[in-house]
């Protein structure tokens, strides 16, 4: 069971964090889920790490000192899972020469709506009971229950964030 959970957690980490962190691959992750702890250190952020936030800045360089995940498997129904993000260093610069374009603005709005729908689906706005034609395996529903318990009882701590903004367009 724990090998299956380790594989699931490794997939989640690589799929979700892989958007933001360079060189993160499932094969490179060594997880110790029996203890309930996962630690990743000295991660380099991708330049497109903040792109989904639709901010008027780009990441020139970025580092994440430490990412810790703690899941209390023995008491995960009553205790919180904890994510700690420590020592984030980011060098940002402005997006230059962005001209307003009606088509791009409409596309951006559509992508924002799609992200909102995706988030709503992720956090249970649609459930398997809503679509009775789709059979749900007991293994899948068990994993969905565990995921739901962990996500609903999640605490996130962010410590030591340093952002340096560099704008070379100002003399």
């Amino acid at each position: 069971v724990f090998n299956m959970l380790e594989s699931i957690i490794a997939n989640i980490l690589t799929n979700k964090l892989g958007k933001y962190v360079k060189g993160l691959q499932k094969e490179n992750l060594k997880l110790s889920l029996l203890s309930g702890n996962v630690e990743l250190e000295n991660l380099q952020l991708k330049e497109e790490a903040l792109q989904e936030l639709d901010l008027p800045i780009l990441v020139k360089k970025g580092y994440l000192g430490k990412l810790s995940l703690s899941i209390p498997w023995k008491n995960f129904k009553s205790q919180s899972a904890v994510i700690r993000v420590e020592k984030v260093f980011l060098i940002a610069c402005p997006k230059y020469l962005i001209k307003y374009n009606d088509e791009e603005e409409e596309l951006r709005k559509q992508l924002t709506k799609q992200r909102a729908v995706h988030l709503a689906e992720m956090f249970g706005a649609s459930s398997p009971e809503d679509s009775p034609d789709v059979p749900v395996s007991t293994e899948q529903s068990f994993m969905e229950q565990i995921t739901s318990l962990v996500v609903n009882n999640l605490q996130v701590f962010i410590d030591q964030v340093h952002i340096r903004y560099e704008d070379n367009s100002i003399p």
Side-chain angles (χ1 to χ4, degrees), residues 5-159:
L5 289 174
E6 284 181 359
S7 175
I8 289 170
I9 296 295
N11 282 333
I12 290 171
L13 286 173
T14 54
N15 289 338
K16 299 300 178 187
L17 287 178
K19 295 180 201 176
Y20 310 105
V21 176
K22 289 183 182 178
L24 187 64
Q25 298 173 348
K26 181 180 173 183
E27 297 80 31
N28 297 342
L29 294 176
K30 301 294 183 214
L31 306 178
S32 175
L33 289 183
L34 282 175
S35 69
N37 297 317
V38 176
E39 284 191 3
L40 302 172
E41 293 183 345
N42 301 322
L43 303 172
Q44 187 175 1
L45 298 176
K46 291 183 177 179
E47 290 179 0
E48 53 279 348
L50 299 178
Q51 206 165 19
E52 285 185 10
L53 299 175
D54 200 25
L55 298 172
I57 61 172
L58 297 173
V59 175
K60 286 175 76 173
K61 288 275 185 192
Y63 295 95
L64 176 58
K66 186 174 182 180
L67 175 70
S68 305
L69 173 64
S70 176
I71 301 174
W73 292 116
K74 294 179 182 176
N75 299 317
F76 70 89
K77 290 182 179 181
S78 60
Q79 292 181 347
S80 296
V82 177
I83 295 175
R84 291 188 185 280
V85 178
E86 300 175 30
K87 298 181 182 175
V88 178
F89 297 98
L90 197 69
I91 299 174
C93 65
K95 291 181 183 177
Y96 290 112
L97 304 174
I98 298 176
K99 295 181 180 177
Y100 184 78
N101 182 331
D102 285 335
E103 292 174 8
E104 288 180 9
E105 181 65 19
E106 189 60 35
L107 180 62
R108 187 189 63 76
K109 286 179 183 178
Q110 288 176 352
L111 288 173
T112 302
K113 287 178 185 178
Q114 288 174 356
R115 278 189 232 136
V117 168
H118 178 69
L119 285 173
E121 288 172 352
M122 247 176 46
F123 290 109
S126 63
S127 62
E129 294 84 29
D130 295 341
S131 53
D133 298 336
V134 180
V136 177
S137 70
T138 54
E139 182 180 303
Q140 183 182 13
S141 61
F142 173 71
M143 292 313 299
E144 286 175 357
Q145 290 174 1
I146 289 177
T147 303
S148 177
L149 280 170
V150 171
V151 169
N152 289 333
N153 203 14
L154 181 67
Q155 293 182 359
V156 179
F157 297 95
I158 301 173
D159 191 27

